[in-house]
Amino acid sequence: MTALIIGGSGFLGAELIRQATAAGHTTAATYHATKPGDASQAKWYRLDLRDAGRLDAVMAEVSPHLVVNASSHKADWAVTAAGPVRLAMAAAKHGSRLVHVSSDAVFSGARVHYDETCLPDPVTPYGAAKAAAETGVLIVHPGAVVARTSLIIGHGRSVHERAVHELAAGTSDGVLFTDDIRCPVHVEDLAAALLELASREVSGIHHLAGPDALSRHELGILIARRDGLDTSRLPEGLRVHSTLPGALDVRLDSRATQRKLTTTLRGARQFCTQPVTAQPVGP
């Protein structure tokens, strides 16, 4: 099988490339704002999802059986909302299986617990763009999988893990919120689950998050203990008192999707008790 990882130079993308290559798949990957990763694991293509002509050329050259969209461009509507729809149209045209990675940012937190039947009600521009992408992808490519996830952790290289280390070292300012709650997932579990969903006869919305609902501060404490850091150096605060927009408490219920998988989506209380496993560092 030939797999094309969109956003391969990112944190999740790099893990998808590693697992796809380890499984014996011919792997290609794209990058845009960063730089290409390990050329020994994938053939790299520069790609801006706003460029329909370039996208079609890459799809024609790679001729992938599977496309996984792991790209992330924050609230840029042209890339985050319209880009995945353009990708879905290209995947449908070329007969490729498509797995699109979405986010718990599509929810407001008003009901706290969200399973796959819940309709998006975003409260930020980023969440609105991700929700629009979900709808558009499934309209133009009904056989696609849209997989919502939460905080992605692993190998000490995630944004949250780096922030915890910087706070503990006193090299950055800020606090870890005690009222901002999510369901973290390990990057290895997430990548494995995405590739497993791609191999199954499933489509539509799926949730891929861990079973443990934790505040950013609780997660930070777990990371600090795992890495031998002084937990007393991690400042805490309330997001509700900050100017940051977005939902406070969003808990993805992944039980329905978990029942379809052999991959276990571990909770942070489990994977944060295990030593960090070094992985090749991407861009």
Side-chain angles (χ1 to χ4, degrees), residues 7 32-33 47-49 71-77 79-80 126 130:
H32 174 49
L47 176 65
D48 184 336
L49 287 178
S71 62
S72 178
H73 296 276
K74 299 188 178 180
D76 186 328
W77 190 270
V79 181
T80 302
Y126 173 69
K130 294 297 282 187

Side-chain angles (χ1 to χ4, degrees), residues 33-233:
T34 55
K35 59 182 179 180
D38 187 352
S40 68
Q41 290 193 314
K43 185 173 182 179
W44 290 89
Y45 296 84
R46 187 174 182 86
L47 176 65
D48 184 336
L49 287 178
R50 294 170 293 189
D51 186 340
R54 174 62 177 163
L55 172 58
D56 195 62
V58 170
M59 290 290 293
E61 181 173 338
V62 177
S63 190
H65 300 90
L66 167 66
V67 179
V68 182
N69 181 23
S71 62
S72 178
H73 296 276
K74 299 188 178 180
D76 186 328
W77 190 270
V79 181
T80 302
V85 179
R86 195 171 291 112
L87 176 63
M89 293 172 67
K93 172 184 174 181
H94 290 272
S96 303
R97 178 89 163 122
L98 175 64
V99 176
H100 170 70
V101 181
S102 189
S103 166
D104 57 13
V106 302
F107 296 121
S108 70
R111 60 178 294 161
V112 179
H113 299 276
Y114 294 89
D115 64 17
E116 289 88 345
T117 66
C118 295
L119 296 177
D121 61 340
V123 291
T124 63
Y126 173 69
K130 294 297 282 187
E134 290 184 359
T135 301
V137 164
L138 293 176
I139 287 174
V140 303
H141 196 326
V145 168
V146 170
R148 296 180 184 135
T149 192
S150 191
L151 290 180
I152 308 175
I153 307 296
H155 309 318
R157 291 173 45 212
S158 68
V159 171
H160 196 77
E161 287 165 292
R162 293 199 304 268
V164 168
H165 277 253
E166 290 169 2
L167 288 169
T171 57
S172 69
D173 297 324
V175 299
L176 297 175
F177 296 125
T178 58
D179 58 346
D180 186 334
I181 298 172
R182 298 294 187 272
C183 295
V185 65
H186 197 284
V187 66
E188 288 184 356
D189 300 346
L190 177 57
L194 290 167
L195 293 173
E196 186 176 348
L197 285 175
S199 71
R200 296 180 176 272
E201 294 295 321
V202 297
S203 61
I205 302 290
H206 291 77
H207 285 183
L208 296 176
D212 295 338
L214 298 170
S215 73
R216 304 257 181 176
H217 186 261
E218 289 173 316
L219 178 59
I221 293 293
L222 290 176
I223 291 168
R225 287 174 177 164
R226 180 198 67 189
D227 297 344
L229 305 177
D230 183 355
T231 59
S232 69
R233 295 182 61 85

